[in-house]
Amino acid sequence: MKNNDLKHKIQRGLYNYFLFFTLVAFLVSCTTMLFVSVMANTLNIELTKDNMEASAKLTFLNVIVLSVLFFIIDTVRRKLTTEKITKQIADAAKKIVQGDFSVRISTVNNLSADEKFNEIIDCFNKMAEELAGVETLRTDFVANVSHEMKTPLAIMQNYGTLLQAPGLSEEKRMEYAKGVADGSRRLADMMTNILKLNRLEKQQIYPKTEEYDLGEQLCNCLLNYERVWEDKNIEIETDIADDVKVNTDEELLFLVWNNLFSNAFKFTPKGGKVAVELKATEQYVVVKVKDNGCGISPEVGAHIFEKFYQGDTSHATQGNGLGLALVKRVVDILQGELGVESSLGKGSTFVVKFWRI
Ligand code: ADP
């Protein structure tokens, strides 16, 4: 391989030199002949075979010396301005191919180097940065999914072992069976959310626009939580504008309300309050889901839309940290805006705004 490389290099060098040499020889010969003939004419010198032969030899020697000299200068110049940089780029690209996304190339300050090299280097560095980000996301995602799967699996295993004990009372049997059922439901919920998020991220779901009554959808979705608010004795306050027709994807928006309501009820203690508000103008609608629960600190708030992030671990078993990531993704797809106002211990308000048409 190395021998082949060397052979190839020598061949390329000779090819370049002869190309250069022929061009220079041709130019120098033409100029010299012109010069000699003009001089002979003006000075009335007769051109004999001898003096022609001597000057031809001298010219030939000159051409060879000059062309070799230029060739060397040009090779060194190319080595410094082009080959060094292209080698750096090629080496860095090889590292990327091998999976090392930490590689970066420093920009060239060499005045004689082509400015385009810096453009290529900039693009290359950005590409490496993006690839490194995607790789981190991928590995984090796999780590998170495995971690999230372990807990319910361990719980189900425990309950399964307990269920095998002979002579269990009916009450215990029911309790352990419920444990297995809860664990499997949690796993199934997580898988459903991962699949939804995956489809949304790959943009396999495109908004299906249809006209429907947004207030009605909010009320129906809220009613799904009737048992929860009754159990926790949570007060419900609604301020939902009538007859707000929107032209958007009903199924996708259902995901948003469902996750926001489920969080509001989850993070609001017994005897608390959850309020839902819908306001609309000709152009846009604003939905607010407000609770007076535990609230979110600024440190937690900075991460709540990240996949698998759970700020409040006391409710960790009731979720998997994917809800708000889904909400954010849907709002982005619908080109809406999502905001949250919250203060620790006082409650949170999630605000969703999107265009009506
Ligand atoms: P999960 O609810 O499964 O933990 P989410 O993605 O829905 O996951 O929420 C992420 C985190 O955001 C929660 O763990 C919690 O810390 C915080 N959070 C979301 N909604 C509320 C809320 N209404 N009140 C307080 N904290 C909230």
Side-chain angles (χ1 to χ4, degrees):
M1 190 68 191
K2 286 240 155 115
N3 270 346
N4 264 353
D5 273 1
L6 189 68
K7 204 172 126 198
H8 194 68
K9 262 189 185 169
I10 294 173
Q11 274 174 350
R12 217 178 36 197
L14 286 174
Y15 172 79
N16 282 341
Y17 171 70
F18 279 112
L19 197 75
F20 192 65
F21 171 77
T22 330
L23 187 73
V24 173
F26 178 71
L27 288 176
V28 173
S29 309
C30 288
T31 347
T32 316
M33 276 163 75
L34 189 72
F35 174 74
V36 169
S37 103
V38 170
M39 202 171 72
N41 272 346
T42 24
L43 298 180
N44 249 345
I45 299 171
E46 197 191 333
L47 295 175
T48 64
K49 190 181 168 243
D50 285 348
N51 58 22
M52 280 290 281
E53 215 176 78
S55 58
K57 274 183 193 157
L58 197 67
T59 312
F60 184 69
L61 213 72
N62 260 342
V63 170
I64 290 202
V65 171
L66 281 177
S67 64
V68 170
L69 202 72
F70 279 123
F71 178 71
I72 293 169
I73 294 173
D74 182 59
T75 310
V76 173
R77 184 191 65 85
R78 259 193 296 129
K79 274 242 174 307
L80 291 178
T81 56
T82 315
E83 282 183 25
K84 196 173 154 217
I85 307 167
T86 44
K87 186 173 178 313
Q88 271 181 346
I89 297 175
D91 286 349
K94 272 184 209 151
K95 283 194 178 157
I96 294 263
V97 170
Q98 285 157 8
D100 175 6
F101 302 128
S102 64
V103 60
R104 299 287 181 277
I105 313 171
S106 34
T107 44
V108 213
N109 295 318
N110 192 339
L111 275 182
S112 51
D114 194 334
E115 230 341 271
K116 286 279 168 216
F117 277 123
N118 277 339
E119 267 178 51
I120 296 173
I121 289 172
D122 269 353
C123 291
F124 185 94
N125 287 343
K126 277 190 195 126
M127 178 192 78
E129 219 165 281
E130 285 291 314
L131 284 172
V134 171
E135 179 63 8
T136 318
L137 272 184
R138 194 181 65 83
T139 43
D140 279 3
F141 186 77
V142 173
N144 280 324
V145 172
S146 335
H147 177 77
E148 286 294 321
M149 279 175 80
K150 266 189 189 161
T151 322
L153 279 176
I155 294 174
M156 283 157 67
Q157 250 173 13
N158 275 345
Y159 281 120
T161 318
L162 288 170
L163 267 176
Q164 288 168 5
L168 277 182
S169 68
E170 186 59 18
E171 193 192 342
K172 282 286 169 207
R173 197 180 62 80
M174 285 304 283
E175 185 194 328
Y176 299 155
K178 187 175 174 301
V180 175
D182 283 353
S184 58
R185 185 189 38 75
R186 214 180 132 192
L187 267 183
D189 283 353
M190 187 180 73
M191 288 306 165
T192 314
N193 274 346
I194 290 176
L195 289 177
K196 273 184 203 154
L197 202 57
N198 194 33
R199 280 169 67 208
L200 286 174
E201 285 190 332
K202 287 199 175 144
Q203 280 281 338
Q204 280 171 6
I205 291 183
Y206 293 97
K208 287 180 270 167
T209 50
E210 53 195 323
E211 198 184 70
Y212 71 93
D213 192 312
L214 182 62
E216 216 175 284
Q217 185 190 33
L218 283 166
C219 291
N220 288 337
C221 191
L222 196 58
L223 278 172
N224 290 338
Y225 290 88
E226 196 173 359
R227 258 192 61 194
V228 185
W229 82 61
E230 275 178 6
D231 282 354
K232 286 178 92 175
N233 197 21
I234 288 174
E235 185 190 336
I236 301 290
E237 192 181 284
T238 52
D239 179 8
I240 294 179
D242 284 335
D243 207 24
V244 178
K245 297 274 192 289
V246 286
N247 206 348
T248 182
D249 192 315
E250 190 172 357
E251 209 180 308
L252 283 187
L253 270 182
F254 182 79
L255 277 177
V256 173
W257 316 136
N258 202 30
N259 279 300
L260 293 183
F261 292 162
S262 121
N263 278 346
F265 289 118
K266 188 160 68 181
F267 295 106
T268 302
K270 283 188 175 160
K273 187 168 148 186
V274 169
V276 181
E277 183 188 292
L278 164 63
K279 294 259 177 317
T281 69
E282 288 273 297
Q283 287 86 29
Y284 59 84
V285 290
V286 178
V287 176
K288 290 187 182 176
V289 180
K290 190 174 174 180
D291 65 67
N292 66 354
C294 61
I296 306 170
S297 68
E299 297 78 49
V300 169
H303 302 283
I304 54 173
F305 298 112
E306 289 169 13
K307 275 178 260 176
F308 293 105
Y309 180 79
Q310 290 189 295
D312 185 334
T313 42
S314 62
H315 293 83
T317 52
Q318 295 165 34
N320 40 46
L322 290 173
L324 287 182
L326 267 169
V327 170
K328 174 93 180 73
R329 187 71 198 121
V330 171
V331 175
D332 282 350
I333 288 180
L334 300 178
Q335 292 172 357
E337 289 166 26
L338 172 65
V340 55
E341 293 153 19
S342 184
S343 57
L344 207 55
K346 291 194 177 143
S348 321
T349 306
F350 283 83
V351 186
V352 179
K353 177 177 171 181
F354 60 93
W355 306 101
R356 290 185 77 168
I357 301 153

